[in-house]
Amino acid sequence: FGAYYDVRKYSKIGPSVRILGMINRIEPTVKTYCQFWFESQREPVFMKVMEYKYIWYRKWGNYKQGIFQPYLIACQIPSRFQKMVPASVSIVEKPCDTATNNLRVVYNKPEEKKRFAVCVKGLDFLHEDLSVRLVEWIELLGILGADKIFFYELQVHPNISKILEYYQKLDRVEVTPLTLPGGQPNVPGFQHMYLVKKLNNKRQNELIPYNDCLYKNLYTYEFIALLDIDEVIMPINTM
């Protein structure tokens, strides 16, 4: 789904690229490599995957083979390139394989961090017109100091789309279209039914936009809040 440059000082593996995605098994069964592409290099640079981090709590259910499981995959940047940000990265099984995937490496680092942003999981409101409630919620978060709200959109009512387009023009929200991976349904009506009936699958998929929003904004905001559109964090001190 996404790849992100990570140079946080407390990282155990040092400068790295973390790749967010889903795998249709509980544990990887083969060794894999990151194929890094740098702007200054004509050929790719390879590093073995150092970490497969399972980002679902197994006791919540769906801990079985054949179901798409959310993972963060980490590859260390080679020592002689640790001052450079890769342009893109691919995952391959063997260093000489021709890659069938390629992700741009995200590294958003403005001169100064803003205070806080809000991340919202994939919106699934195909038949519900929550546009008025959504306006109230966006305006309230603005009053409380949110610099920006990041939405992910599965299927929404046309009036909700209008609201999101309006606030995008004001640069108060950012909307990313979202689909489900693998053979999971993406036809609007079927997708909505699937997410209603398959609650654990729905929640496993929600970890993708949440983590994407976090890693895209690691260096842009001091704080990231994960909220649904019926939730607000109220400050307890008004001073």
Side-chain angles (χ1 to χ4, degrees), residues 94 158 193 234:
K94 300 174 183 177
M193 292 171 59
M234 295 299 294

Side-chain angles (χ1 to χ4, degrees), residues 207-224:
L207 293 178
I208 299 301
Y210 277 154
N211 279 276
D212 177 68
C213 190
L214 170 66
Y215 279 92
K216 281 198 303 192
N217 295 292
L218 275 179
Y219 311 102
T220 310
Y221 298 93
E222 293 287 347
F223 301 98
I224 300 287

Side-chain angles (χ1 to χ4, degrees), residues 15-69:
S16 63
V17 168
R18 298 189 185 274
I19 299 168
L20 176 65
M22 300 188 87
I23 306 172
N24 62 351
R25 51 189 179 272
I26 294 173
E27 294 178 354
T29 56
V30 295
K31 296 178 181 178
T32 47
Y33 294 82
C34 280
Q35 184 185 74
F36 290 118
W37 291 92
F38 293 89
E39 295 285 359
S40 60
Q41 301 294 310
R42 296 182 60 183
E43 296 182 353
V45 177
F46 295 91
M47 286 293 286
K48 187 177 176 180
V49 170
M50 294 194 67
E51 181 180 88
Y52 279 90
K53 187 173 181 63
Y54 186 52
I55 55 175
W56 173 253
Y57 188 51
R58 63 185 67 183
K59 291 185 179 179
W60 287 342
N62 274 6
Y63 186 69
K64 53 188 175 182
Q65 305 289 358
I67 293 175
F68 278 93
Q69 309 283 347

Side-chain angles (χ1 to χ4, degrees), residues 129-140:
D129 182 4
L130 300 178
S131 53
V132 174
R133 177 64 61 86
L134 187 60
V135 170
E136 294 175 341
W137 187 73
I138 292 172
E139 291 294 340
L140 178 56

Side-chain angles (χ1 to χ4, degrees), residues 123-126 153-157 178 186-189 191-192:
L123 297 177
D124 175 38
F125 298 107
L126 181 61
E153 182 180 322
L154 288 163
Q155 313 291 339
V156 297
H157 189 279
L178 187 65
N186 285 300
V187 176
Q191 184 189 78
H192 176 70

